Amino acid sequence: IEQAQKNKNMTFSVMMQPQRKQHWFEKFHWFITSDNYIVIGGRDAQQNEILVKRYLRPGDAYLHADVHGAPTCILRAKRRRTPKGSTEVLPLSDQALREA
């Protein structure tokens, strides 16, 4: 009984940490290669369509197995800004292609 009375008088504080903003690719299957390229794969047929229609860019590698139900994967190419303000696509590394 004495311990319960002591606990009544105690105050507790809860610290809430802000939740980080989720990246656009986190709704898909994804991983980072050892060369820091991102590989993104669909979870289902609808996400496969979204990946191809919305996120596939020139210079990216499209990867897909010839097996029913296999996910679509995209190996995103790195880009660099030119002094003119446009971007240029850097070639994909062989290591990143092997890992994808």
Side-chain angles (χ1 to χ4, degrees):
I1 296 174
E2 290 176 21
Q3 183 137 0
Q5 288 176 344
K6 286 181 184 178
N7 287 340
K8 270 188 181 178
N9 297 333
M10 296 177 76
T11 59
F12 296 98
S13 63
V14 177
M15 301 251 330
M16 298 291 291
Q17 291 188 1
Q19 188 175 10
R20 71 173 181 83
K21 186 177 176 186
Q22 189 177 29
H23 293 284
W24 66 269
F25 54 83
E26 291 187 79
K27 59 186 164 195
F28 303 104
H29 290 298
W30 63 278
F31 67 94
I32 307 286
T33 65
S34 60
D35 294 343
N36 284 332
Y37 287 90
I38 186 166
V39 179
I40 308 160
R43 293 182 183 267
D44 54 25
Q46 183 180 6
Q47 282 192 346
N48 289 344
E49 288 291 320
I50 291 171
L51 276 174
V52 172
K53 291 181 178 179
R54 191 179 300 166
Y55 296 112
L56 185 65
R57 303 182 301 187
D60 294 347
Y62 174 78
L63 309 162
H64 185 64
D66 194 16
V67 178
H68 178 70
T72 291
C73 293
I74 294 175
L75 175 60
R76 294 290 290 232
K78 293 182 182 179
R79 285 163 168 68
R80 175 176 45 202
R81 290 221 180 262
T82 61
K84 299 175 193 173
S86 62
T87 59
E88 71 174 308
V89 178
L90 301 175
L92 296 169
S93 72
D94 292 334
Q95 180 69 25
L97 285 169
R98 277 194 300 274
E99 289 179 16

